Structure formats: structure tokens, C-alpha cells
């Protein structure tokens, strides 16, 4: 039972290029979350998606960032025209369908580290 | 979600019990206490959660005070691999409130 799979683990881009980060949730999980961690800082929520729906994007920067979770395939976090300030670790998490049971545990992937030159 | 307060850092000797406190004095009746940790450069890892009763699993124990205004995560026999940042998060689980909001946590260092 594979965990949350993220790729690439490391990505180097030059300023102005596009970065695409992929996340495959755990089997049976229908909810995906993206978090960003800047160097020496805490984890910041970016976006929460269900299949084909963005549920909460309150943490997404207004420009250049987008996320999707299609019916088939992994979730994609896309950063257009990257800048040096986008250099960070991007973590994906998944969870099963939520309910009021108290569990609601998020399982995180190992992260994708983006370096912008 | 209720605000939590944790000490920024703690040390613990290897083999001893590590007791990590968390204050959540504004917690409401239906909010759960969750603990996660992040070992350096890795993704956060779920440890344990509880509502009002004390909980224990293979990783740790969670002690919640009777008034629920504070809790303690206990790692019974700390090892060097337990060195990490530990996050205490309080929230109501369920539709519309699925995301976790991480604070600054406690940086626990296990001393050989």
C-alpha cells in the first residue's frame, strides 16, 4: 500500500520557466492538500482539492499558481514564470472522504523541492 | 480553529520520556487535539489525536487535562530518531474544515 507519492523530488528551474509538481494520493483517498514550506519557515496551507473540484484555495498566491486534481491521474501544482522566491519544499497530503468521526488524518508525501536559479 | 501555544524548543536525554506540552485554552467542545511531527526535510507525520480521553498508540501517548485546556504528548523512550519539530493542532474534523493549520511547533532535540 504505497503512501502519498510526489514527483519530482527535486526540480531546478530558471526564472521565468514553469514548474509542475505531481502528487498521487494514497489508494482510496479522494482528498488532496498542498502545502509550501519556505527555507527555515513553517508549513503553509495552499489549496485543498477533491476530484475535479477545488474546495479551498485560500492559501494560494493570486497569480502564477494553479492546482488541479483531475478525474484520472495525479494532482498537479503548477507554477508559471517562477521567481527565486518560489524556491521551497512543496508537500502534498491526502485523506479519505471526511466524516465527523474524529479521524480525518492527513498523510503527507516526502515533498518536492523546487530550486529557482 | 482554537489557537495553540507550544514551547519553541526542548531537549530530552535519549532513553528518557519526552513530554511535550500544548496549551489550547480556547478549545471548544467538539474540537480534537492532533499531533504531527516533521523530521528534518521530511513530510509531516501523524502521531496521535484525541478528543477528551487519554489516548495511546505505538508511537506515543496523549494526555488531555480534564478541562481540555491543555495536553501533553509523551514519547515514552525517546531515541535520536525522535528529533523533530512537533506540532499540536486543534480543530473540528469534518466537511468544510479538512485542512490542517500548522503553527511554529516545538523543536525537540534528543541528546545522546
Amino acid at each position: 500500500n504505497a503512501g502519498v507519492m510526489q514527483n519530482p523530488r527535486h526540480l531546478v528551474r530558471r526564472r521565468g520557466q514553469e514548474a509542475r509538481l505531481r502528487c498521487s494520493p494514497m489508494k482510496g483517498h479522494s482528498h488532496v492538500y498542498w502545502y509550501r514550506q519556505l527555507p527555515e519557515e513553517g508549513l503553509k496551507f495552499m489549496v485543498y482539492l477533491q476530484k475535479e473540484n477545488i474546495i479551498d484555495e485560500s492559501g494560494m498566491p493570486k497569480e502564477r499558481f494553479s492546482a488541479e486534481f483531475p478525474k484520472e491521474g495525479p494532482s498537479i501544482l503548477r507554477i508559471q514564470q517562477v521567481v527565486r522566491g518560489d524556491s521551497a519544499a512543496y508537500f502534498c497530503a491526502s485523506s479519505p472522504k471526511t466524516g465527523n468521526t474524529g479521524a480525518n488524518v492527513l498523510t503527507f508525501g516526502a515533498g518536492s523541492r523546487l530550486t529557482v536559479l | 480553529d482554537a489557537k495553540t501555544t507550544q514551547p519553541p524548543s526542548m531537549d530530552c536525554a535519549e532513553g528518557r520520556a519526552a513530554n511535550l506540552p500544548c496549551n489550547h485554552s480556547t478549545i471548544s467542545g467538539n474540537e480534537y487535539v492532533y499531533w504531527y511531527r516533521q523530521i528534518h526535510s521530511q513530510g509531516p507525520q501523524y502521531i496521535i489525536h484525541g478528543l477528551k480521553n487519554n489516548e495511546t498508540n505505538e508511537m506515543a501517548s496523549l494526555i488531555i487535562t480534564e478541562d481540555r485546556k491543555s495536553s501533553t504528548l509523551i514519547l515514552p523512550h525517546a531515541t535520536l530518531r525522535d528529533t523533530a519539530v512537533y506540532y499540536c493542532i486543534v480543530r473540528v474534523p469534518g466537511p468544510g474544515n479538512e485542512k490542517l493549520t500548522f503553527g511554529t511547533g516545538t523543536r525537540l532535540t534528543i541528546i545522546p
Side-chain angles (χ1 to χ4, degrees):
Chain A
N1 183 18
V4 178
M5 304 302 293
Q6 290 190 247
N7 66 83
R9 293 292 311 279
H10 300 274
L11 182 64
V12 179
R13 285 288 179 266
R14 296 191 181 279
R15 281 179 296 170
Q17 292 184 320
E18 179 180 286
R20 286 192 181 219
L21 309 177
R22 289 177 292 278
C23 171
S24 296
M26 282 187 69
K27 186 176 180 180
H29 285 191
S30 56
H31 298 208
V32 165
Y33 313 75
W34 285 95
Y35 286 78
R36 178 167 68 173
Q37 188 168 35
L38 296 169
E40 305 303 323
E41 293 191 15
L43 290 146
K44 301 296 183 187
F45 168 79
M46 300 181 75
V47 62
Y48 158 49
L49 311 100
Q50 297 175 19
K51 286 282 187 181
E52 300 184 284
N53 280 307
I54 296 174
I55 306 302
D56 181 351
E57 56 182 346
S58 57
M60 285 282 270
K62 296 291 183 236
E63 298 177 344
R64 303 187 296 106
F65 285 72
S66 62
E68 63 175 6
F69 189 17
K71 186 176 181 181
E72 300 292 337
S75 175
I76 306 287
L77 180 67
R78 180 184 179 203
I79 311 171
Q80 295 178 287
Q81 299 175 325
V82 296
V83 301
R84 288 205 174 125
D86 297 332
S87 294
Y90 292 83
F91 292 98
C92 171
S94 71
S95 71
K97 183 176 179 180
T98 57
N100 293 323
T101 62
N104 213 184
V105 170
L106 272 61
T107 302
F108 284 80
S112 292
R113 278 149 189 82
L114 172 66
T115 301
V116 179
L117 301 177
Chain B
D1 295 342
K3 178 180 169 62
T4 62
T5 304
Q6 298 178 252
S9 63
M10 291 180 63
D11 292 341
C12 178
E14 187 179 17
R16 304 296 294 269
N19 297 286
L20 292 94
C22 180
N23 283 317
H24 30 80
S25 58
T26 59
I27 193 170
S28 61
N30 57 350
E31 287 185 300
Y32 284 70
V33 180
Y34 294 78
W35 283 84
Y36 283 74
R37 73 180 181 184
Q38 186 177 25
I39 297 171
H40 181 63
S41 298
Q42 298 182 19
Q45 178 188 23
Y46 165 79
I47 301 173
I48 199 167
H49 76 281
L51 180 61
K52 60 176 78 172
N53 297 323
N54 298 336
E55 302 287 344
T56 296
N57 63 20
E58 65 279 2
M59 289 183 68
S61 294
L62 174 60
I63 308 298
I64 303 174
T65 57
E66 192 168 342
D67 63 8
R68 300 187 68 239
K69 292 186 177 181
S70 66
S71 60
T72 302
L73 177 74
I74 301 172
L75 308 178
H77 304 286
T79 71
L80 297 179
R81 286 174 292 184
D82 293 321
T83 292
V85 179
Y86 287 76
Y87 298 96
C88 170
I89 301 167
V90 174
R91 89 190 215 279
V92 179
N97 197 32
E98 290 83 353
K99 72 186 184 192
L100 291 174
T101 301
F102 290 85
T104 53
T106 295
R107 184 174 296 277
L108 175 67
T109 302
I110 306 301
I111 310 297

